[in-house]
Amino acid sequence: TPYLNTEYIGRKILHFDSIDSTNIKAKEFAQRGEEEGTVIISEEQTKGRGRLGRSWASPKGEGIWMSIILKPNINPMDASKVTQIGAAAVCNSINEMGIDALIKWPNDIVLNRKKVCGILTEMSAELNIINYIVIGIGINANIRKFPEDIKDMATSLKLEIGNTISRKKLVGKILNNFEELYNELVNNNSISKSLNICRKKSILLGNKVKIISRNQEIIGKAIDITNEGELIIETENGKREKLISGEVSVRGL
Ligand code: ADP
């Protein structure tokens, strides 16, 4: 792609017509020694997944279904930081195309309050060593119609702005943004640039939110995102709680 300015992210892109899931494929490649930065893209996923095994609609030719293989030398406990980097990179890239997308912490990008992108980070680690991380990015770029069960919560860039967007251009921008933000993690063990974007573009901060965490419902006001990427919410009784991305869903926006 002529839009790519990276050193190592997306220098090798493996493009498929139809696979079960780009994350599954990326994990297979990573397991077999594929190097950091390789990207798996598919026109269609037959078994696209969100968090907790929830299915992710990935129809042919209209979306961006891709996964990036990463091998960062960081603590496995910090793996969720990669999700924040991905969210910041995708949101920035969509914004660079002139579209006002926002981030719904921790792993979704929304446009006009509906989901246009989901991010799923998966890791393989032994003891305190990361073997690899794959970050899956699913973007509803030019999808024209959604299944009945998700049509109220999902949308595409095309449906919202009214014209077809260049998937190649958007992929190029995402990989460029991703490399810049990911380098901060690898070189300085920091994600401050990503978090600044996540805070500035957050659809949650300052608003009342309903959080489902370990089957419990917490209602409160979203106050801030910490330097570790956790969400701070203040409940009715003034108590502040720190939520780690892995275990929560934000509902009823
Ligand atoms: P959550 O944001 O609730 O944690 P996930 O990130 O796990 O959800 O994503 C899976 C959910 O996203 C599905 O249960 C479904 O409701 C919704 N979904 C599935 N496919 C799409 C899609 N292409 N675009 C937007 N939302 C989708």
Side-chain angles (χ1 to χ4, degrees):
T1 154
Y3 302 99
L4 202 63
N5 305 314
T6 58
E7 262 171 37
Y8 63 102
I9 299 290
R11 281 290 133 199
K12 181 169 173 189
I13 296 181
L14 303 170
H15 195 221
F16 295 84
D17 199 44
S18 176
I19 50 180
D20 45 6
S21 132
T22 59
N23 263 24
I24 292 176
K25 196 57 111 187
K27 286 188 276 185
E28 285 169 10
F29 272 89
Q31 193 71 51
R32 286 192 242 119
E34 186 63 39
E35 60 186 299
E36 174 161 83
T38 296
V39 171
I40 309 289
I41 297 190
S42 186
E43 288 300 307
E44 168 187 57
Q45 297 184 105
T46 55
K47 238 181 92 186
R49 287 284 175 269
R51 296 186 303 168
L52 305 173
R54 291 187 283 252
S55 82
W56 183 264
S58 319
K60 204 174 191 82
E62 301 183 329
I64 295 171
W65 321 125
M66 69 173 179
S67 300
I68 310 170
I69 294 173
L70 302 170
K71 303 196 166 174
N73 199 347
I74 58 169
N75 191 310
M77 303 250 289
D78 288 337
S80 68
K81 291 182 176 175
V82 170
T83 302
Q84 306 301 302
I85 295 171
V90 172
C91 188
N92 243 4
S93 303
I94 295 176
N95 293 160
E96 283 170 13
M97 312 257 305
I99 305 169
D100 267 331
L102 295 172
I103 300 172
K104 182 182 161 197
W105 182 91
N107 68 325
D108 294 331
I109 308 296
V110 296
L111 181 56
N112 300 332
R113 310 191 81 80
K114 292 178 164 191
K115 180 145 65 167
V116 285
C117 166
I119 293 170
L120 178 66
T121 301
E122 296 182 276
M123 168 176 63
S124 158
E126 279 166 67
L127 300 171
N128 271 322
I129 310 284
I130 290 179
N131 295 323
Y132 57 81
I133 288 177
V134 305
I135 174 167
I137 298 174
I139 304 178
N140 302 329
N142 298 318
I143 294 177
R144 284 163 295 179
K145 201 171 186 300
F146 286 94
E148 199 59 31
D149 56 322
I150 59 169
K151 76 175 195 332
D152 292 333
M153 56 174 294
T155 192
S156 69
L157 299 177
K158 183 187 173 96
L159 282 173
E160 298 303 308
I161 64 174
N163 39 44
T164 302
I165 64 124
S166 163
R167 289 187 295 160
K168 278 197 178 143
K169 190 170 176 180
L170 184 52
V171 168
K173 283 182 182 297
I174 291 169
L175 298 176
N176 294 341
N177 274 300
F178 188 88
E179 182 173 287
E180 191 197 329
L181 297 170
Y182 178 69
N183 276 341
E184 195 193 9
L185 175 66
V186 172
N187 298 329
N188 305 328
N189 197 27
S190 160
I191 54 165
S192 68
K193 289 187 210 170
S194 300
L195 289 173
N196 283 338
I197 297 166
C198 289
R199 291 185 186 110
K200 195 166 99 197
K201 293 290 170 178
S202 174
I203 196 174
L204 301 185
L205 295 187
N207 294 317
K208 193 171 168 183
V209 296
K210 184 159 96 183
I211 310 270
I212 322 262
S213 172
R214 302 195 197 96
N215 277 328
Q216 271 204 337
E217 200 177 277
I218 310 170
I219 295 175
K221 187 175 166 186
I223 301 287
D224 199 4
I225 296 167
T226 68
N227 290 338
E228 307 304 308
E230 306 128 318
L231 182 71
I232 300 180
I233 69 159
E234 188 172 274
T235 54
E236 310 277 65
N237 56 26
K239 225 176 95 195
R240 290 194 171 192
E241 305 222 23
K242 241 191 236 175
L243 300 167
I244 300 166
S245 64
E247 53 198 23
V248 309
S249 274
V250 184
R251 299 279 175 218
L253 261 169

Coordinates of all heavy atoms in Angstrom, one line a residue, residues 48-59 65 104-109 114-120 138-140 143 146-147 149-150 153-156 248-251, ligand 1:
G48 N -15.5 -14.6 13.0 CA -15.0 -13.4 13.7 C -15.5 -13.4 15.1 O -16.7 -13.7 15.3
R49 N -14.6 -13.0 16.0 CA -15.0 -13.0 17.5 C -14.7 -11.7 18.1 O -13.7 -11.0 17.8 CB -14.2 -14.1 18.2 CG -14.8 -15.5 17.9 CD -16.1 -15.8 18.6 NE -16.7 -17.1 18.2 CZ -17.5 -17.3 17.2 NH1 -17.9 -16.3 16.4 NH2 -18.0 -18.5 16.9
G50 N -15.5 -11.3 19.1 CA -15.3 -10.2 20.0 C -14.8 -10.8 21.3 O -14.3 -11.9 21.4
R51 N -14.9 -10.0 22.4 CA -14.5 -10.5 23.7 C -15.4 -11.6 24.2 O -16.6 -11.6 23.8 CB -14.4 -9.3 24.7 CG -13.3 -8.3 24.2 CD -13.1 -7.2 25.2 NE -14.3 -6.6 25.6 CZ -14.5 -5.7 26.6 NH1 -13.5 -5.5 27.4 NH2 -15.6 -5.1 26.8
L52 N -14.9 -12.4 25.1 CA -15.7 -13.5 25.7 C -16.4 -14.4 24.7 O -17.5 -14.8 24.9 CB -16.7 -12.9 26.6 CG -16.2 -11.9 27.7 CD1 -17.3 -11.3 28.5 CD2 -15.3 -12.7 28.7
G53 N -15.7 -14.5 23.5 CA -16.3 -15.4 22.5 C -17.5 -14.9 21.7 O -18.1 -15.6 21.0
R54 N -17.9 -13.7 22.0 CA -19.1 -13.1 21.3 C -18.7 -13.0 19.8 O -17.6 -12.6 19.4 CB -19.5 -11.8 21.9 CG -20.0 -11.9 23.3 CD -20.6 -10.6 23.7 NE -19.5 -9.7 24.1 CZ -19.3 -9.3 25.4 NH1 -20.0 -9.8 26.4 NH2 -18.3 -8.5 25.7
S55 N -19.7 -13.3 18.9 CA -19.4 -13.3 17.5 C -19.3 -11.9 16.9 O -20.0 -10.9 17.4 CB -20.4 -14.2 16.8 OG -21.6 -13.4 16.5
W56 N -18.5 -11.7 15.9 CA -18.3 -10.4 15.3 C -18.6 -10.6 13.8 O -18.0 -11.4 13.1 CB -16.8 -10.0 15.4 CG -16.6 -8.6 14.9 CD1 -16.1 -8.4 13.6 CD2 -16.8 -7.4 15.5 NE1 -16.0 -7.0 13.4 CE2 -16.5 -6.4 14.5 CE3 -17.4 -7.0 16.7 CZ2 -16.6 -5.0 14.8 CZ3 -17.5 -5.6 17.0 CH2 -17.1 -4.6 16.0
A57 N -19.7 -9.9 13.3 CA -20.1 -10.0 11.9 C -19.0 -9.4 11.0 O -18.6 -8.3 11.2 CB -21.4 -9.2 11.8
S58 N -18.6 -10.2 10.1 CA -17.4 -9.8 9.2 C -17.7 -10.1 7.7 O -17.0 -11.0 7.2 CB -16.1 -10.5 9.7 OG -16.0 -10.6 11.1
P59 N -18.7 -9.5 7.1 CA -19.0 -9.8 5.8 C -18.0 -9.5 4.7 O -17.1 -8.7 5.0 CB -20.3 -9.0 5.5 CG -20.2 -7.8 6.5 CD -19.5 -8.4 7.7
W65 N -10.8 -6.3 8.2 CA -10.7 -7.3 9.3 C -9.2 -7.7 9.3 O -8.7 -8.3 8.4 CB -11.5 -8.6 9.0 CG -12.9 -8.3 8.4 CD1 -13.4 -8.8 7.2 CD2 -13.9 -7.4 9.0 NE1 -14.7 -8.3 7.0 CE2 -15.0 -7.4 8.1 CE3 -14.0 -6.7 10.1 CZ2 -16.2 -6.7 8.3 CZ3 -15.2 -5.9 10.4 CH2 -16.2 -6.0 9.5
K104 N -14.9 4.4 22.8 CA -15.7 3.9 23.9 C -14.7 3.0 24.7 O -14.5 1.8 24.2 CB -16.9 3.3 23.5 CG -17.8 2.8 24.6 CD -19.0 2.1 24.0 CE -19.7 1.2 25.1 NZ -20.6 0.2 24.5
W105 N -14.1 3.5 25.7 CA -13.2 2.7 26.5 C -13.8 1.3 26.9 O -15.0 1.3 27.2 CB -12.8 3.4 27.8 CG -11.8 2.7 28.7 CD1 -10.5 2.9 28.7 CD2 -12.1 1.8 29.7 NE1 -9.9 2.1 29.6 CE2 -10.9 1.4 30.3 CE3 -13.3 1.2 30.2 CZ2 -10.8 0.4 31.3 CZ3 -13.2 0.2 31.2 CH2 -11.9 -0.1 31.7
P106 N -13.1 0.2 26.8 CA -11.7 0.1 26.5 C -11.4 -0.2 25.0 O -10.2 0.0 24.6 CB -11.2 -1.0 27.3 CG -12.4 -1.9 27.4 CD -13.6 -1.0 27.4
N107 N -12.3 -0.7 24.3 CA -11.9 -1.4 23.0 C -12.8 -1.2 21.8 O -12.8 -1.9 20.9 CB -11.8 -2.9 23.3 CG -13.2 -3.5 23.5 OD1 -14.0 -2.9 24.2 ND2 -13.4 -4.7 23.0
D108 N -13.7 -0.1 21.9 CA -14.5 0.1 20.7 C -14.4 1.6 20.2 O -14.1 2.5 21.0 CB -16.0 -0.1 21.1 CG -16.4 -1.5 21.5 OD1 -15.7 -2.4 20.9 OD2 -17.3 -1.7 22.3
I109 N -14.6 1.7 18.9 CA -14.7 3.1 18.3 C -16.1 3.3 17.9 O -16.7 2.4 17.3 CB -13.7 3.2 17.1 CG1 -12.3 2.7 17.4 CG2 -13.7 4.6 16.6 CD1 -11.6 3.5 18.5
K114 N -22.8 4.8 17.7 CA -22.9 3.4 17.3 C -21.5 2.9 17.0 O -20.6 3.6 16.6 CB -23.8 3.2 16.0 CG -25.2 3.6 16.3 CD -26.0 3.4 15.0 CE -27.5 3.4 15.2 NZ -28.1 3.0 13.9
K115 N -21.4 1.6 17.2 CA -20.0 0.9 17.1 C -19.6 0.8 15.6 O -20.3 0.1 14.8 CB -20.1 -0.4 17.8 CG -18.8 -1.2 17.8 CD -18.5 -2.0 19.1 CE -19.5 -3.1 19.4 NZ -18.9 -4.0 20.4
V116 N -18.4 1.4 15.3 CA -17.9 1.2 13.9 C -16.6 0.3 14.0 O -16.2 -0.2 12.9 CB -17.5 2.5 13.2 CG1 -18.7 3.2 12.7 CG2 -16.6 3.4 14.1
C117 N -16.1 0.1 15.2 CA -14.9 -0.8 15.2 C -14.8 -1.4 16.6 O -15.1 -0.8 17.6 CB -13.7 0.2 15.0 SG -12.1 -0.6 15.4
G118 N -14.3 -2.7 16.6 CA -14.0 -3.4 17.8 C -12.5 -3.9 17.8 O -12.0 -4.1 16.7
I119 N -11.9 -3.9 18.9 CA -10.5 -4.3 19.0 C -10.4 -5.5 20.0 O -11.1 -5.5 21.1 CB -9.7 -3.2 19.5 CG1 -9.6 -2.1 18.4 CG2 -8.3 -3.6 19.9 CD1 -9.0 -0.8 18.8
L120 N -9.7 -6.5 19.6 CA -9.6 -7.7 20.5 C -8.1 -8.1 20.6 O -7.5 -8.5 19.6 CB -10.4 -8.9 19.9 CG -10.3 -10.2 20.7 CD1 -10.9 -10.1 22.1 CD2 -10.9 -11.3 20.0
G138 N -11.3 -4.8 13.9 CA -12.4 -5.0 12.9 C -13.1 -3.7 12.7 O -13.6 -3.1 13.6
I139 N -13.1 -3.2 11.5 CA -13.7 -1.9 11.2 C -14.8 -2.1 10.2 O -14.6 -2.6 9.1 CB -12.7 -0.9 10.7 CG1 -11.5 -0.7 11.7 CG2 -13.3 0.5 10.4 CD1 -10.4 0.2 11.2
N140 N -16.0 -1.6 10.5 CA -17.1 -1.6 9.6 C -16.9 -0.4 8.6 O -17.5 0.7 8.8 CB -18.4 -1.4 10.3 CG -18.6 -2.5 11.4 OD1 -18.2 -3.6 11.2 ND2 -19.3 -2.2 12.5
I143 N -19.7 -1.4 5.1 CA -20.8 -2.3 5.2 C -22.1 -1.6 5.0 O -22.3 -0.5 5.5 CB -20.8 -3.0 6.6 CG1 -19.5 -3.9 6.7 CG2 -22.1 -3.8 6.9 CD1 -19.3 -4.5 8.1
F146 N -26.6 -4.5 8.4 CA -26.2 -5.3 9.5 C -27.2 -6.4 9.8 O -28.4 -6.1 9.6 CB -25.9 -4.5 10.7 CG -24.6 -3.7 10.6 CD1 -24.6 -2.4 10.1 CD2 -23.4 -4.3 11.0 CE1 -23.4 -1.7 10.0 CE2 -22.2 -3.6 10.8 CZ -22.2 -2.3 10.3
P147 N -26.9 -7.5 10.4 CA -27.8 -8.4 10.9 C -28.8 -7.8 11.9 O -28.5 -6.8 12.6 CB -27.0 -9.5 11.6 CG -25.6 -9.3 11.2 CD -25.5 -7.9 10.7
D149 N -30.1 -8.5 14.7 CA -29.8 -8.4 16.2 C -28.8 -7.3 16.6 O -28.8 -6.9 17.7 CB -29.3 -9.7 16.7 CG -28.1 -10.2 16.0 OD1 -28.0 -10.1 14.7 OD2 -27.2 -10.8 16.6
I150 N -28.0 -6.8 15.6 CA -27.1 -5.7 16.0 C -27.3 -4.4 15.3 O -26.5 -3.5 15.4 CB -25.6 -6.1 15.8 CG1 -25.3 -6.5 14.4 CG2 -25.3 -7.3 16.7 CD1 -23.8 -6.7 14.1
M153 N -27.1 -1.1 17.3 CA -25.9 -0.7 17.9 C -24.7 -0.6 17.0 O -23.7 0.0 17.4 CB -25.6 -1.7 19.1 CG -25.5 -3.1 18.6 SD -25.0 -4.3 19.8 CE -23.3 -3.7 20.1
A154 N -24.8 -1.1 15.8 CA -23.6 -1.1 14.9 C -23.9 -0.2 13.7 O -25.0 0.0 13.3 CB -23.4 -2.6 14.4
T155 N -22.8 0.4 13.2 CA -22.9 1.1 12.0 C -21.6 1.0 11.2 O -20.6 0.5 11.7 CB -23.3 2.6 12.3 OG1 -23.7 3.2 11.0 CG2 -22.2 3.4 12.9
S156 N -21.6 1.6 10.0 CA -20.3 1.6 9.2 C -20.0 3.1 8.9 O -20.8 4.0 9.0 CB -20.5 0.8 8.0 OG -21.4 1.5 7.1
V248 N -14.6 -5.8 31.9 CA -15.8 -4.9 32.0 C -16.4 -4.7 30.6 O -15.7 -4.8 29.6 CB -15.6 -3.6 32.6 CG1 -14.9 -3.7 33.9 CG2 -14.8 -2.7 31.7
S249 N -17.7 -4.5 30.6 CA -18.5 -4.1 29.4 C -19.2 -2.8 29.8 O -19.7 -2.7 30.9 CB -19.5 -5.1 29.0 OG -18.9 -6.1 28.2
V250 N -19.2 -1.8 28.9 CA -20.0 -0.6 29.2 C -21.2 -0.7 28.4 O -21.2 -0.9 27.2 CB -19.1 0.6 28.8 CG1 -19.9 1.9 29.1 CG2 -17.8 0.6 29.4
R251 N -22.4 -0.5 29.1 CA -23.7 -0.6 28.4 C -24.5 0.6 28.5 O -24.2 1.5 29.2 CB -24.5 -1.7 29.1 CG -23.8 -3.1 29.1 CD -24.1 -3.8 27.8 NE -23.3 -5.0 27.7 CZ -22.7 -5.5 26.6 NH1 -22.8 -4.8 25.5 NH2 -22.1 -6.7 26.7
Ligands
ADP1 P1 -18.5 -5.4 23.9 O1 -18.2 -4.1 23.4 O2 -19.9 -5.6 24.4 O3 -17.5 -5.9 24.9 P2 -17.3 -7.1 22.0 O4 -16.1 -6.1 21.9 O5 -17.0 -8.4 22.6 O6 -18.5 -6.4 22.7 O7 -17.9 -7.4 20.5 C1 -18.9 -8.3 20.3 C2 -20.3 -7.7 20.2 O8 -20.3 -6.7 19.2 C3 -21.3 -8.7 19.7 O9 -21.9 -9.4 20.8 C4 -22.3 -7.9 19.0 O10 -23.3 -7.3 19.9 C5 -21.5 -6.7 18.5 N1 -21.1 -6.9 17.0 C6 -20.9 -8.0 16.3 N2 -20.5 -7.7 15.1 C7 -20.4 -6.4 15.0 C8 -20.0 -5.5 14.0 N3 -19.6 -5.9 12.8 N4 -20.0 -4.2 14.3 C9 -20.5 -3.7 15.4 N5 -20.8 -4.5 16.5 C10 -20.8 -5.8 16.2

